[in-house]
Amino acid sequence: MPERLLVEAVNDALHVEMERDPSVLVLGEDVGLLGGVFRATAGLQERFGHERCIDTPLAEAGILGTAIGLCMAGWRPVCEMQYDAFSYPALDQLINHVGRYRWRTRGKMAFPLVIRMPYGGGVRAPELHDDSPETYYVHTPGVKVAIPSNPADAKGLLAAAIRDPDPVVVFEPKLHYRTAKTEVPAGEHVVPLGAARVVREGTDVTLVAYGAMVPLAGKAADALADDVSVEVLDLRTLKPLDEGSLLGSVRKTGRAVLVQEAPRTCGYMAEVAAVLAEKAIYDLQGPVLRVTGYDVPYPYWQIEDAYMPSVERVVDAVRRLLSA
Amino acid sequence: MPERLLVEAVNDALHVEMERDPSVLVLGEDVGLLGGVFRATAGLQERFGHERCIDTPLAEAGILGTAIGLCMAGWRPVCEMQYDAFSYPALDQLINHVGRYRWRTRGKMAFPLVIRMPYGGGVRAPELHDDSPETYYVHTPGVKVAIPSNPADAKGLLAAAIRDPDPVVVFEPKLHYRTAKTEVPAGEHVVPLGAARVVREGTDVTLVAYGAMVPLAGKAADALADDVSVEVLDLRTLKPLDEGSLLGSVRKTGRAVLVQEAPRTCGYMAEVAAVLAEKAIYDLQGPVLRVTGYDVPYPYWQIEDAYMPSVERVVDAVRRLLSA
Amino acid sequence: MSQVLPAEGGLRRVIGDGHALPDGEIDLTPEQHLALYRNLVLLRTYDERSVIYHRQGRIGTYAIFWNHEAMQAGSVFALEERDWIFPSYRESAIGLLRGLPVSTVLSWWRGHPAGWWNPKEWGVASICVPIATHVPHAVGFAWGSQLKGEDRVAIAYFGDGATSEGAFHEGATFAGVLKAPVIFFCNNNQWAISTPLSAQTAAPTLADKGIGYGMPGVRVDGGDVLAVLDATREAVTRARAGDGPTLIEAVTYRAAPHATADDPSIYIDEERVQEERDNECVGRYEAYLRRLGLLTDAQAEDVKQEALDLMRTGIAEAEAEPLADPGLVFEHALADPPASFADDLAELRRVIGA
Amino acid sequence: MSQVLPAEGGLRRVIGDGHALPDGEIDLTPEQHLALYRNLVLLRTYDERSVIYHRQGRIGTYAIFWNHEAMQAGSVFALEERDWIFPSYRESAIGLLRGLPVSTVLSWWRGHPAGWWNPKEWGVASICVPIATHVPHAVGFAWGSQLKGEDRVAIAYFGDGATSEGAFHEGATFAGVLKAPVIFFCNNNQWAISTPLSAQTAAPTLADKGIGYGMPGVRVDGGDVLAVLDATREAVTRARAGDGPTLIEAVTYRAAPHATADDPSIYIDEERVQEERDNECVGRYEAYLRRLGLLTDAQAEDVKQEALDLMRTGIAEAEAEPLADPGLVFEHALADPPASFADDLAELRRVIGA
Ligand SMILES: Cc1ncc(C[n+]2csc(CCOP(=O)(O)OP(=O)(O)O)c2C)c(N)n1
Ligand SMILES: Cc1ncc(C[n+]2csc(CCOP(=O)(O)OP(=O)(O)O)c2C)c(N)n1
Ligand SMILES: [Mg+2]
Ligand SMILES: [Mg+2]
């Protein structure tokens, strides 16, 4: 199996899916001539032409709104938002149209569009290149949300998103775009939406994570390995949530520490905690702890490490939980 | 004490606060000449002039963006968004600027602006006049969020919001704009942000609610009164959450049913459940149940009652919990 | 490359006043004239009956389009069946011109699921409630159709107030750059609820905005159905020729409340309203047809009766719709719904016993 | 009421080429010329040193503004101290022209809290990263100041790409209606990262967009610091006279990468870049001053040395900043922070031992 960086896996998925389905097209700022500021779309315009890989004007609501119209004309558009915090102008189209238009046609029209974007912090970038905006998307009815944590999933989840009959948002952890090459199946590779994955088995506590927090959780598990048996669950899809895997793991370990880099209040792990508080209450041997970003603007990058969940904070939470 | 409708209490607060502080001004679509589509701003333009009650062009991001500049010039703008679902174009300004600008100036500049809007369903209105978008606001760092459930609080929380040094979003339950006149203190009346209120005391279960769900919770408590002692907690402020009151109540009753009309996933009650799962886990005698809107687009109004939390659904949840 | 024209100064006009202003001409057969008249009357009847139905509590809040009929009927007449219409709430009944049942539109205003149609069936997108947000949809559709080699034009309807929204600007920007075959049809009724045009923009005219997107701006008398038809025909021709989008500003004056919930007496110029009512668009066209001998009393009576009959049947059908099943709350949200929907619905049915 | 002028056809120009094109004149004293030259050189030096600092790993990603100095220095020169500047990332160092320390701006690019300043202290708003979103801020500030009876003008800087964003449109719409004393200064360097102007808009010129907002559009040679100054002066005069906003399109060509992380070789026209570099704006003004006998070699040398010294001190100061305390993560988010912040910070300190 070829080894690829995460961003290369994204690029691979786009090539394979555009090859497979001539109704898939890509649009966004700088996705064509440049191949994207992270080069996630490199080569697409040469390969599939200017009509299937389009450099748009600088207007995110315009991109998403146009994509809705493209769906109506029978296309399957894949929109790139250049960065997390630059996707907010498109939230109006997302909430008021992307998530509702199928319903509005009583299921007669499909809106198989994909929004993909790099997300997350830790990259020493200027302000507003660091957000984890998944809550805004997850809370919105009518859209699905996936966040891969490694190259193979980045390819497989994006492929699944492109093939899905519903709108899907895929957040790619930009911190890990180029951190490691790992094996990615060549050709068609689909990781079904809604299926979490136990990354590492354990019996004392479950670390629940997604995206960039999965490798971090793995490191925390390493740090604890001497005396704590840690299970790491990679949710992979936030909506729909794989409740079965979540509850199965927590039922086994009896303890959960939830890790997200987004601000805490109403972050995605609030939902996971709520599900546990409803459906695993009798299995829990202690409080459900969250290790999250804080309820503050993402900070100056010189101190971003203090904001981001760290191995130390995760380890501390696990130890607190075990001694509770 | 005079009796007022909820919308009249809002209007009263605006009059009193604009009188009190000449730097308060109101802007929005149709707030001036018409006095607002719900007449929440009626009389302000006559009383305070065209310069302090401004009919803006039809552009929500423009309204909020302009308000940020008004803060920089020393004003305390109160922006009206005409309806919940029409506030989404302004989310970009909210997330990327309103919540961050103070931080960006290292605390040297204040952004004491208020966004107020009617929210919520059950009013037999055309599509997109029914949303409960509080999650989008609550999740955003740097802004506070309040939601009154009755006329007196509508006045007092709005007054507190206007006087607050930070940006505050106030959602007004439009379903109850004109349902009942109740006593509202005349003149200055401030209900501090961050203080929940026990609306009805009880010992068996706590119903946690805010806004339009508070009267509903009260009715459910009535329906259960024969055999269940229900405590109803009105959160009043969602951010910051009054954790003390929440934990105090749940500690006492040992059971919590959380009621929100927004879609379930990552709705505000997910956060409340997460707080309980962390901080009240040993007090809970059963699962934390949520009664919420569903993860679907707000429906056609002929069946909106099936979507909205109902007395029946709340009662059912309480009974399920008690027999759990 | 097509040329960007400066916005026209005066309003384009075809119909005269029977006195000082001479009637113009347009390339239409007598049958077409009659069909157009029928469309106008259908919309007028729909609108007037709807206001009554609202008063009778048979439909909910309703956005009145009285005297906007010429803009809707005139422009749609310039389209082919394969072209797509993107209406705002002000054009809620525009689908009638494509054969959409009256009962469907009435059901929409009754908040009944039967009011939601399949856009592909009629070439009419869903009614857009949030201002201007459908403008980029029309652009994407038009451009996407062109990419597929389909000869389809899209037309987006919106008001004067809508031109202030970012969504209008972004849609127009995309259309200009993509040379999409799309028409931006602005119903300038000079009010956005209570906000007059002067508080909406400082642009000399709305048509002047066209140049900012590299598209011609055309101003037309919105009460003159033939002028509207003429201007739209030109825009359709440009679009089909690959010359890109056109902005049409149809000027009128709102002669009715914004919607049934609105009381314009607080803000509107009643004299100007009366003037507009005295010169309303259906009557103008009717007089024109009579001047040209293209319409007899009997024909006019028939057309009106036919429309009334359609309305009667329509409201009866709408009211005969069975109560919607609560299952519909979940049914169409996603093509591939999560398991939780079934659980939620089962619980809901258990609790409400339905 | 002021008149809306159609956008000018040609580019406004003052500085000639020393050969065929004659030099124009502008009302500036020799001291003012020298001060303006100093500003230009300061910006140029800042920019060139920053690229080096970036390569040396002493600052992070950096948005280069090489050859944009004339647009920034020329326009700021037309303002009074009490007027406010709303920069984008492209004008990150524009505060230097107001006396903001070099170390502050360098700290911003170093991601250090010392890089965030108090806008009130310098009349310079925070650097705006999300495109065009600061445009309405400038409008609100200008209008709000006017309401308070303060005679302040605001100027917002943004790029050609920014004109596609809804935020630009809405800000401009508000400004036109409110007749706010604000200047929209568009740096048209013809690229938005890799997207050329032709893929950005079909408008004949960006200045043409002005009419859609009821404001004059002016086109000026962005490499001609005096033409920029002249156009901005006019706009300032209009603004102060209560005649409302102006859109200035300053035309140039991006002669450097978009930012340090960008490789323009994939997309840019290298020949055109070379042309631009050969005719860069600081040299143009320097040659002009020499032709007019307003600048000696010694003076030029002094000015450059002075700027270099400032940079040396600036980077030393920035690098001398102590490591930021993690407490800053919480400190400035809210004036009235919730109790949870203190708990979070205490926990954080315990865990990381700081
Ligand atoms: C984004 C958004 N903001 C606000 C509203 C509320 N609203 C409904 S109609 C209207 C005025 C629209 O005026 P105009 O565009 O001129 O169209 P008209 O109603 O006159 O046809 C407003 C503000 C809305 N529907 N959508
Ligand atoms: C809302 C938003 N979308 C996307 C970006 C990413 N981005 C940064 S600079 C840039 C291009 C800007 O081009 P232009 O407006 O011409 O200004 P220039 O950089 O040429 O000065 C883009 C797309 C952003 N910062 N903000
Ligand atoms: Mg209008
Ligand atoms: Mg540019």
Side-chain angles (χ1 to χ4, degrees), chain A residues 85 96 100 104 127 131 136 139-140 265-266 271, chain B residues 85 96 100 104 127 131 136 139-140 265-266 271:
Chain A
N96 280 345
R100 305 200 205 222
R104 215 174 262 150
E127 201 200 340
D131 273 13
Y136 301 110
H139 183 58
T140 302
T265 301
C266 278
E271 179 62 30
Chain B
N96 281 345
R100 305 200 205 223
R104 217 175 259 151
E127 200 201 341
D131 272 13
Y136 301 110
H139 183 59
T140 301
T265 300
C266 278
E271 179 62 30

PDB file of all heavy atoms in Angstrom, chain A residues 85 96 100 104 127 131 136 139-140 265-266 271, chain B residues 85 96 100 104 127 131 136 139-140 265-266 271:
ATOM      1  N   ALA A  85     -11.884  29.455  10.006  1.00  0.00           N
ATOM      2  CA  ALA A  85     -12.540  30.703  10.412  1.00  0.00           C
ATOM      3  C   ALA A  85     -13.027  31.511   9.217  1.00  0.00           C
ATOM      4  O   ALA A  85     -13.728  32.509   9.390  1.00  0.00           O
ATOM      5  CB  ALA A  85     -11.613  31.555  11.275  1.00  0.00           C
ATOM      6  N   ASN A  96     -29.572  27.808   6.554  1.00  0.00           N
ATOM      7  CA  ASN A  96     -30.882  28.097   5.981  1.00  0.00           C
ATOM      8  C   ASN A  96     -31.171  27.352   4.675  1.00  0.00           C
ATOM      9  O   ASN A  96     -32.326  27.273   4.269  1.00  0.00           O
ATOM     10  CB  ASN A  96     -31.066  29.604   5.782  1.00  0.00           C
ATOM     11  CG  ASN A  96     -31.435  30.287   7.094  1.00  0.00           C
ATOM     12  OD1 ASN A  96     -31.809  29.631   8.054  1.00  0.00           O
ATOM     13  ND2 ASN A  96     -31.319  31.603   7.143  1.00  0.00           N
ATOM     14  N   ARG A 100     -31.574  22.323   4.704  1.00  0.00           N
ATOM     15  CA  ARG A 100     -33.042  22.289   4.634  1.00  0.00           C
ATOM     16  C   ARG A 100     -33.624  22.044   3.256  1.00  0.00           C
ATOM     17  O   ARG A 100     -34.822  21.821   3.111  1.00  0.00           O
ATOM     18  CB  ARG A 100     -33.617  23.648   5.105  1.00  0.00           C
ATOM     19  CG  ARG A 100     -33.150  24.049   6.472  1.00  0.00           C
ATOM     20  CD  ARG A 100     -34.073  25.090   7.092  1.00  0.00           C
ATOM     21  NE  ARG A 100     -33.323  25.862   8.073  1.00  0.00           N
ATOM     22  CZ  ARG A 100     -33.770  26.227   9.267  1.00  0.00           C
ATOM     23  NH1 ARG A 100     -34.979  25.917   9.642  1.00  0.00           N
ATOM     24  NH2 ARG A 100     -33.022  26.918  10.094  1.00  0.00           N
ATOM     25  N   ARG A 104     -37.257  20.670   2.034  1.00  0.00           N
ATOM     26  CA  ARG A 104     -38.151  21.625   1.379  1.00  0.00           C
ATOM     27  C   ARG A 104     -38.750  21.059   0.097  1.00  0.00           C
ATOM     28  O   ARG A 104     -39.784  21.525  -0.379  1.00  0.00           O
ATOM     29  CB  ARG A 104     -37.305  22.851   1.051  1.00  0.00           C
ATOM     30  CG  ARG A 104     -37.961  24.158   1.149  1.00  0.00           C
ATOM     31  CD  ARG A 104     -36.921  25.253   0.927  1.00  0.00           C
ATOM     32  NE  ARG A 104     -36.409  25.837   2.146  1.00  0.00           N
ATOM     33  CZ  ARG A 104     -35.187  26.341   2.295  1.00  0.00           C
ATOM     34  NH1 ARG A 104     -34.319  26.294   1.290  1.00  0.00           N
ATOM     35  NH2 ARG A 104     -34.821  26.878   3.431  1.00  0.00           N
ATOM     36  N   GLU A 127      -3.710  34.950  13.564  1.00  0.00           N
ATOM     37  CA  GLU A 127      -5.071  34.858  14.056  1.00  0.00           C
ATOM     38  C   GLU A 127      -6.044  34.288  13.013  1.00  0.00           C
ATOM     39  O   GLU A 127      -5.922  34.592  11.827  1.00  0.00           O
ATOM     40  CB  GLU A 127      -5.536  36.279  14.433  1.00  0.00           C
ATOM     41  CG  GLU A 127      -6.689  36.324  15.390  1.00  0.00           C
ATOM     42  CD  GLU A 127      -7.411  37.663  15.355  1.00  0.00           C
ATOM     43  OE1 GLU A 127      -6.840  38.656  14.894  1.00  0.00           O
ATOM     44  OE2 GLU A 127      -8.564  37.697  15.784  1.00  0.00           O
ATOM     45  N   ASP A 131      -9.230  27.752  14.044  1.00  0.00           N
ATOM     46  CA  ASP A 131     -10.480  27.396  14.697  1.00  0.00           C
ATOM     47  C   ASP A 131     -10.873  25.931  14.509  1.00  0.00           C
ATOM     48  O   ASP A 131     -10.498  25.280  13.533  1.00  0.00           O
ATOM     49  CB  ASP A 131     -11.615  28.283  14.168  1.00  0.00           C
ATOM     50  CG  ASP A 131     -11.710  29.587  14.948  1.00  0.00           C
ATOM     51  OD1 ASP A 131     -10.777  29.909  15.706  1.00  0.00           O
ATOM     52  OD2 ASP A 131     -12.732  30.288  14.802  1.00  0.00           O
ATOM     53  N   TYR A 136     -20.695  24.441  15.093  1.00  0.00           N
ATOM     54  CA  TYR A 136     -21.613  25.199  14.236  1.00  0.00           C
ATOM     55  C   TYR A 136     -22.215  24.302  13.159  1.00  0.00           C
ATOM     56  O   TYR A 136     -23.346  24.492  12.724  1.00  0.00           O
ATOM     57  CB  TYR A 136     -20.887  26.378  13.576  1.00  0.00           C
ATOM     58  CG  TYR A 136     -20.286  27.350  14.564  1.00  0.00           C
ATOM     59  CD1 TYR A 136     -18.908  27.461  14.724  1.00  0.00           C
ATOM     60  CD2 TYR A 136     -21.100  28.158  15.348  1.00  0.00           C
ATOM     61  CE1 TYR A 136     -18.351  28.353  15.630  1.00  0.00           C
ATOM     62  CE2 TYR A 136     -20.550  29.062  16.262  1.00  0.00           C
ATOM     63  CZ  TYR A 136     -19.181  29.155  16.401  1.00  0.00           C
ATOM     64  OH  TYR A 136     -18.640  30.030  17.301  1.00  0.00           O
ATOM     65  N   HIS A 139     -24.411  21.092  14.893  1.00  0.00           N
ATOM     66  CA  HIS A 139     -25.721  21.473  15.439  1.00  0.00           C
ATOM     67  C   HIS A 139     -26.750  21.716  14.330  1.00  0.00           C
ATOM     68  O   HIS A 139     -27.948  21.795  14.598  1.00  0.00           O
ATOM     69  CB  HIS A 139     -25.559  22.727  16.297  1.00  0.00           C
ATOM     70  CG  HIS A 139     -26.828  23.173  16.967  1.00  0.00           C
ATOM     71  ND1 HIS A 139     -27.538  22.368  17.827  1.00  0.00           N
ATOM     72  CD2 HIS A 139     -27.533  24.332  16.889  1.00  0.00           C
ATOM     73  CE1 HIS A 139     -28.608  23.018  18.269  1.00  0.00           C
ATOM     74  NE2 HIS A 139     -28.634  24.199  17.702  1.00  0.00           N
ATOM     75  N   THR A 140     -26.298  21.866  13.126  1.00  0.00           N
ATOM     76  CA  THR A 140     -27.177  22.213  12.015  1.00  0.00           C
ATOM     77  C   THR A 140     -27.867  20.974  11.442  1.00  0.00           C
ATOM     78  O   THR A 140     -27.200  20.077  10.940  1.00  0.00           O
ATOM     79  CB  THR A 140     -26.358  22.921  10.914  1.00  0.00           C
ATOM     80  OG1 THR A 140     -25.753  24.084  11.486  1.00  0.00           O
ATOM     81  CG2 THR A 140     -27.235  23.315   9.741  1.00  0.00           C
ATOM     82  N   THR A 265     -17.732  25.181  25.956  1.00  0.00           N
ATOM     83  CA  THR A 265     -19.186  25.285  26.054  1.00  0.00           C
ATOM     84  C   THR A 265     -19.882  24.935  24.735  1.00  0.00           C
ATOM     85  O   THR A 265     -19.625  25.565  23.703  1.00  0.00           O
ATOM     86  CB  THR A 265     -19.586  26.699  26.507  1.00  0.00           C
ATOM     87  OG1 THR A 265     -18.985  26.943  27.779  1.00  0.00           O
ATOM     88  CG2 THR A 265     -21.087  26.825  26.644  1.00  0.00           C
ATOM     89  N   CYS A 266     -20.740  23.938  24.825  1.00  0.00           N
ATOM     90  CA  CYS A 266     -21.442  23.440  23.636  1.00  0.00           C
ATOM     91  C   CYS A 266     -20.512  22.917  22.560  1.00  0.00           C
ATOM     92  O   CYS A 266     -20.890  22.831  21.387  1.00  0.00           O
ATOM     93  CB  CYS A 266     -22.396  24.487  23.044  1.00  0.00           C
ATOM     94  SG  CYS A 266     -23.971  24.536  23.899  1.00  0.00           S
ATOM     95  N   GLU A 271     -22.028  17.094  23.686  1.00  0.00           N
ATOM     96  CA  GLU A 271     -23.014  16.133  23.176  1.00  0.00           C
ATOM     97  C   GLU A 271     -22.654  14.712  23.590  1.00  0.00           C
ATOM     98  O   GLU A 271     -23.507  13.938  24.018  1.00  0.00           O
ATOM     99  CB  GLU A 271     -23.101  16.246  21.650  1.00  0.00           C
ATOM    100  CG  GLU A 271     -24.066  15.286  20.993  1.00  0.00           C
ATOM    101  CD  GLU A 271     -25.518  15.485  21.423  1.00  0.00           C
ATOM    102  OE1 GLU A 271     -25.890  16.634  21.745  1.00  0.00           O
ATOM    103  OE2 GLU A 271     -26.266  14.485  21.436  1.00  0.00           O
TER     104      GLU A 271
ATOM    105  N   ALA B  85     -33.683  33.175  12.362  1.00  0.00           N
ATOM    106  CA  ALA B  85     -32.990  32.571  11.215  1.00  0.00           C
ATOM    107  C   ALA B  85     -32.414  33.627  10.272  1.00  0.00           C
ATOM    108  O   ALA B  85     -31.674  33.290   9.356  1.00  0.00           O
ATOM    109  CB  ALA B  85     -33.918  31.640  10.436  1.00  0.00           C
ATOM    110  N   ASN B  96     -15.920  36.101  14.352  1.00  0.00           N
ATOM    111  CA  ASN B  96     -14.575  36.580  14.057  1.00  0.00           C
ATOM    112  C   ASN B  96     -14.264  37.959  14.628  1.00  0.00           C
ATOM    113  O   ASN B  96     -13.093  38.330  14.722  1.00  0.00           O
ATOM    114  CB  ASN B  96     -14.325  36.564  12.540  1.00  0.00           C
ATOM    115  CG  ASN B  96     -13.996  35.155  12.045  1.00  0.00           C
ATOM    116  OD1 ASN B  96     -13.690  34.275  12.843  1.00  0.00           O
ATOM    117  ND2 ASN B  96     -14.061  34.939  10.745  1.00  0.00           N
ATOM    118  N   ARG B 100     -14.065  38.597  19.633  1.00  0.00           N
ATOM    119  CA  ARG B 100     -12.601  38.605  19.719  1.00  0.00           C
ATOM    120  C   ARG B 100     -11.980  39.986  19.808  1.00  0.00           C
ATOM    121  O   ARG B 100     -10.787  40.102  20.069  1.00  0.00           O
ATOM    122  CB  ARG B 100     -11.991  37.944  18.475  1.00  0.00           C
ATOM    123  CG  ARG B 100     -12.499  36.554  18.231  1.00  0.00           C
ATOM    124  CD  ARG B 100     -11.558  35.759  17.334  1.00  0.00           C
ATOM    125  NE  ARG B 100     -12.319  34.720  16.654  1.00  0.00           N
ATOM    126  CZ  ARG B 100     -11.903  33.466  16.492  1.00  0.00           C
ATOM    127  NH1 ARG B 100     -10.728  33.089  16.911  1.00  0.00           N
ATOM    128  NH2 ARG B 100     -12.661  32.578  15.872  1.00  0.00           N
ATOM    129  N   ARG B 104      -8.337  41.225  21.185  1.00  0.00           N
ATOM    130  CA  ARG B 104      -7.377  41.713  20.201  1.00  0.00           C
ATOM    131  C   ARG B 104      -6.736  43.036  20.624  1.00  0.00           C
ATOM    132  O   ARG B 104      -5.663  43.390  20.154  1.00  0.00           O
ATOM    133  CB  ARG B 104      -8.159  41.918  18.897  1.00  0.00           C
ATOM    134  CG  ARG B 104      -7.451  41.591  17.653  1.00  0.00           C
ATOM    135  CD  ARG B 104      -8.442  41.731  16.504  1.00  0.00           C
ATOM    136  NE  ARG B 104      -8.977  40.451  16.055  1.00  0.00           N
ATOM    137  CZ  ARG B 104     -10.178  40.293  15.510  1.00  0.00           C
ATOM    138  NH1 ARG B 104     -10.982  41.327  15.364  1.00  0.00           N
ATOM    139  NH2 ARG B 104     -10.567  39.111  15.124  1.00  0.00           N
ATOM    140  N   GLU B 127     -41.788  29.241   7.010  1.00  0.00           N
ATOM    141  CA  GLU B 127     -40.446  28.711   7.245  1.00  0.00           C
ATOM    142  C   GLU B 127     -39.446  29.774   7.701  1.00  0.00           C
ATOM    143  O   GLU B 127     -39.494  30.916   7.250  1.00  0.00           O
ATOM    144  CB  GLU B 127     -39.949  28.124   5.900  1.00  0.00           C
ATOM    145  CG  GLU B 127     -38.830  27.129   6.044  1.00  0.00           C
ATOM    146  CD  GLU B 127     -38.038  26.961   4.750  1.00  0.00           C
ATOM    147  OE1 GLU B 127     -38.551  27.328   3.685  1.00  0.00           O
ATOM    148  OE2 GLU B 127     -36.928  26.449   4.829  1.00  0.00           O
ATOM    149  N   ASP B 131     -36.583  29.523  14.463  1.00  0.00           N
ATOM    150  CA  ASP B 131     -35.379  28.862  14.957  1.00  0.00           C
ATOM    151  C   ASP B 131     -35.034  29.229  16.402  1.00  0.00           C
ATOM    152  O   ASP B 131     -35.390  30.288  16.906  1.00  0.00           O
ATOM    153  CB  ASP B 131     -34.189  29.215  14.060  1.00  0.00           C
ATOM    154  CG  ASP B 131     -34.065  28.261  12.879  1.00  0.00           C
ATOM    155  OD1 ASP B 131     -35.020  27.507  12.627  1.00  0.00           O
ATOM    156  OD2 ASP B 131     -33.015  28.285  12.210  1.00  0.00           O
ATOM    157  N   TYR B 136     -25.315  28.449  18.415  1.00  0.00           N
ATOM    158  CA  TYR B 136     -24.327  29.159  17.594  1.00  0.00           C
ATOM    159  C   TYR B 136     -23.724  30.327  18.366  1.00  0.00           C
ATOM    160  O   TYR B 136     -22.573  30.685  18.180  1.00  0.00           O
ATOM    161  CB  TYR B 136     -24.977  29.687  16.307  1.00  0.00           C
ATOM    162  CG  TYR B 136     -25.584  28.602  15.439  1.00  0.00           C
ATOM    163  CD1 TYR B 136     -26.961  28.479  15.293  1.00  0.00           C
ATOM    164  CD2 TYR B 136     -24.777  27.694  14.770  1.00  0.00           C
ATOM    165  CE1 TYR B 136     -27.520  27.487  14.502  1.00  0.00           C
ATOM    166  CE2 TYR B 136     -25.328  26.695  13.980  1.00  0.00           C
ATOM    167  CZ  TYR B 136     -26.702  26.597  13.847  1.00  0.00           C
ATOM    168  OH  TYR B 136     -27.238  25.610  13.063  1.00  0.00           O
ATOM    169  N   HIS B 139     -21.736  28.951  21.880  1.00  0.00           N
ATOM    170  CA  HIS B 139     -20.442  28.296  21.632  1.00  0.00           C
ATOM    171  C   HIS B 139     -19.351  29.318  21.290  1.00  0.00           C
ATOM    172  O   HIS B 139     -18.165  28.990  21.311  1.00  0.00           O
ATOM    173  CB  HIS B 139     -20.595  27.284  20.489  1.00  0.00           C
ATOM    174  CG  HIS B 139     -19.342  26.518  20.199  1.00  0.00           C
ATOM    175  ND1 HIS B 139     -18.704  25.733  21.133  1.00  0.00           N
ATOM    176  CD2 HIS B 139     -18.579  26.414  19.074  1.00  0.00           C
ATOM    177  CE1 HIS B 139     -17.621  25.177  20.594  1.00  0.00           C
ATOM    178  NE2 HIS B 139     -17.528  25.585  19.351  1.00  0.00           N
ATOM    179  N   THR B 140     -19.751  30.513  20.954  1.00  0.00           N
ATOM    180  CA  THR B 140     -18.800  31.525  20.501  1.00  0.00           C
ATOM    181  C   THR B 140     -18.125  32.227  21.681  1.00  0.00           C
ATOM    182  O   THR B 140     -18.812  32.872  22.480  1.00  0.00           O
ATOM    183  CB  THR B 140     -19.538  32.566  19.625  1.00  0.00           C
ATOM    184  OG1 THR B 140     -20.128  31.875  18.518  1.00  0.00           O
ATOM    185  CG2 THR B 140     -18.580  33.637  19.115  1.00  0.00           C
ATOM    186  N   THR B 265     -28.759  17.721  18.972  1.00  0.00           N
ATOM    187  CA  THR B 265     -27.308  17.550  18.957  1.00  0.00           C
ATOM    188  C   THR B 265     -26.568  18.872  19.155  1.00  0.00           C
ATOM    189  O   THR B 265     -26.762  19.819  18.397  1.00  0.00           O
ATOM    190  CB  THR B 265     -26.872  16.885  17.631  1.00  0.00           C
ATOM    191  OG1 THR B 265     -27.519  15.615  17.538  1.00  0.00           O
ATOM    192  CG2 THR B 265     -25.368  16.689  17.583  1.00  0.00           C
ATOM    193  N   CYS B 266     -25.748  18.897  20.193  1.00  0.00           N
ATOM    194  CA  CYS B 266     -25.006  20.101  20.560  1.00  0.00           C
ATOM    195  C   CYS B 266     -25.921  21.282  20.891  1.00  0.00           C
ATOM    196  O   CYS B 266     -25.484  22.431  20.850  1.00  0.00           O
ATOM    197  CB  CYS B 266     -23.991  20.508  19.493  1.00  0.00           C
ATOM    198  SG  CYS B 266     -22.466  19.588  19.632  1.00  0.00           S
ATOM    199  N   GLU B 271     -24.694  20.869  26.878  1.00  0.00           N
ATOM    200  CA  GLU B 271     -23.729  21.467  27.803  1.00  0.00           C
ATOM    201  C   GLU B 271     -24.172  21.263  29.244  1.00  0.00           C
ATOM    202  O   GLU B 271     -23.372  20.897  30.111  1.00  0.00           O
ATOM    203  CB  GLU B 271     -23.571  22.956  27.497  1.00  0.00           C
ATOM    204  CG  GLU B 271     -22.603  23.691  28.419  1.00  0.00           C
ATOM    205  CD  GLU B 271     -21.170  23.173  28.338  1.00  0.00           C
ATOM    206  OE1 GLU B 271     -20.772  22.684  27.248  1.00  0.00           O
ATOM    207  OE2 GLU B 271     -20.460  23.247  29.353  1.00  0.00           O
TER     208      GLU B 271
END
